[in-house]
Amino acid sequence: QVQLVESGGGLVQAGGSLRLSCAASGRAFSAYVMGWFRQAPGKEREFVAAINWSFGNTHCADAVKGRFTISRDNAKNTVYLEMNSLKPEDTAVYCCAASVTSARWTIGASYDYWGQGTQVTVSS
């Protein structure tokens, strides 16, 4: 089993920045893609960003493009989400996920492992 643990969430003022981390642990961890999703109460889960674990190519949702940056540290089995110019509408629970297959990066059902989520609240 693979465990993903997010950290770095919190309260930040609009326009501010926050960095989320997702550490993967477990036996024989291997992932093709790792991504970030978010979900606000009453809304569906939304794709945020994803990164190819081995090669580092990325894809970001249009809503966060230019503001968020996804990166990874293979040696630490950790993926990061740097969030800048935060807006109140970015408020959500952010979850990281890992896919061990060549999946559709933007589709949550394509991912095999999920973290518990970390709350991000952006005040206006």
Side-chain angles (χ1 to χ4, degrees):
Q1 295 292 330
V2 172
Q3 184 176 8
L4 306 176
V5 179
E6 303 96 333
S7 61
L11 175 65
V12 65
Q13 187 177 350
S17 299
L18 207 59
R19 184 194 190 194
L20 305 183
S21 299
C22 174
S25 62
R27 298 164 65 179
F29 173 76
S30 181
Y32 180 75
V33 170
M34 293 191 69
W36 288 94
F37 292 78
R38 66 186 183 185
Q39 187 169 23
K43 296 186 177 181
E44 66 181 4
R45 184 172 57 194
E46 177 186 15
F47 170 78
V48 178
I51 185 168
N52 179 280
W53 187 250
S54 296
F55 303 109
N57 50 306
T58 63
H59 184 228
C60 292
D62 187 67
V64 305
K65 191 168 294 184
R67 299 188 297 120
F68 291 11
T69 302
I70 187 170
S71 61
R72 93 294 194 209
D73 186 332
N74 293 47
K76 296 181 178 180
N77 288 337
T78 300
V79 63
Y80 305 96
L81 186 67
E82 297 279 355
M83 305 184 293
N84 300 310
S85 301
L86 283 162
K87 306 174 181 179
E89 48 263 47
D90 294 318
T91 296
V93 174
Y94 285 70
C95 294
C96 70
S99 173
V100 300
T101 64
S102 182
R104 290 289 303 177
W105 291 17
T106 64
I107 306 300
S110 297
Y111 290 78
D112 304 289
Y113 304 100
W114 292 84
Q116 83 289 347
T118 185
Q119 177 71 45
V120 172
T121 302
V122 184
S123 62
S124 61

